[in-house]
Amino acid sequence: METYFSKLRGLASAAANAVQSKVGRDYEFNASGPASGRSGLWTLYAARRRATGERATVWVFEKQRFFESGLNRQLLDESARRRVLALLAAEAGQLARLRHPSVLRAMEPLEDTRSALMFVTEPVLASLDDLIARRHGGGYGGGYGGSGGAEGEEEELELDDLTIQSGLLQVCKALQFLHGDARL
């Protein structure tokens, strides 16, 4: 019962901190509501820019929730925690520096608050894993809800042959850019 309440306190703290941050002030999203997806350690939330209504995705890493959960609390010392945060910050920073039509575009740089790391990208509609699972009647794909807009704005994403070919071409162009030009 104690862990349930500590999780609730952690979520409430992260939600309050998100609202106090620049990302929370400039973008409308529900950090305490259901996530639109996950990517590694990041939780993704569908959002809209308050000033323009432009769709976006807010990427959030909740420090307390990750570092205080189960085995992580026992296995990760302070040095390991700093390395995890540095790696996540490097990921977000690298994405912000990359400029190519086939690479996800960062709209706001990484913001490091007391309880979370967060940054904003163009809308992430779904993971390829999730789309493939849905096309073949599978259940759980990548965990993406398929919504790139505001809460309650679900979109059904279909993969026809032309979309698949176009997506593969986009992935190839992105890999060519990352390998050849960005040297990654």
Side-chain angles (χ1 to χ4, degrees):
M1 188 63 130
E2 180 61 32
T3 59
Y4 174 76
F5 288 117
S6 64
K7 284 182 184 177
L8 280 179
R9 278 193 300 272
L11 286 174
S13 171
N17 204 4
V19 171
Q20 295 170 359
S21 70
K22 181 181 182 331
V23 170
R25 287 189 309 271
D26 293 348
Y27 291 86
E28 182 179 335
F29 68 101
N30 187 358
S32 60
S36 59
R38 293 195 61 80
S39 178
L41 298 177
W42 298 98
T43 305
L44 283 59
Y45 296 96
R48 286 197 182 271
R49 186 186 299 255
R50 292 183 196 276
T52 63
E54 180 182 13
R55 292 167 39 165
T57 297
V58 176
W59 297 60
V60 178
F61 171 73
E62 297 174 40
K63 297 175 186 178
Q64 182 179 7
R65 182 175 171 191
F66 178 76
F67 291 130
E68 298 303 319
S69 66
L71 286 176
N72 290 342
R73 181 179 354 182
Q74 297 167 356
L75 296 177
L76 297 176
D77 61 4
E78 190 59 36
S79 169
R81 291 175 188 210
R82 281 195 302 272
R83 286 193 308 268
V84 168
L85 292 174
L87 180 65
L88 291 172
E91 276 184 358
Q94 195 169 50
L95 182 61
R97 286 188 298 277
L98 294 173
R99 298 278 185 252
H100 189 273
S102 297
V103 176
L104 187 66
R105 179 176 58 96
M107 297 169 61
E108 296 287 340
L110 181 71
E111 185 172 344
D112 189 352
T113 66
R114 195 169 46 102
S115 65
L117 296 175
M118 60 183 89
F119 67 99
V120 181
T121 66
E122 64 187 319
V124 174
L125 301 177
S127 72
L128 183 58
D129 183 36
D130 192 40
L131 292 174
I132 291 170
R134 277 196 260 159
R135 179 175 180 156
H136 295 290
Y140 179 77
Y144 288 83
S147 174
E151 188 177 344
E153 192 178 294
E154 284 294 313
E155 298 176 15
E156 185 57 39
L157 299 172
E158 292 290 326
L159 286 179
D160 59 13
D161 288 341
L162 184 60
T163 304
I164 292 170
Q165 290 173 2
S166 174
L168 288 173
L169 179 61
Q170 188 175 5
V171 168
C172 290
K173 285 180 178 180
L175 288 173
Q176 182 181 16
F177 166 74
L178 291 171
H179 180 72
D181 298 339
R183 304 270 186 236
L184 298 175

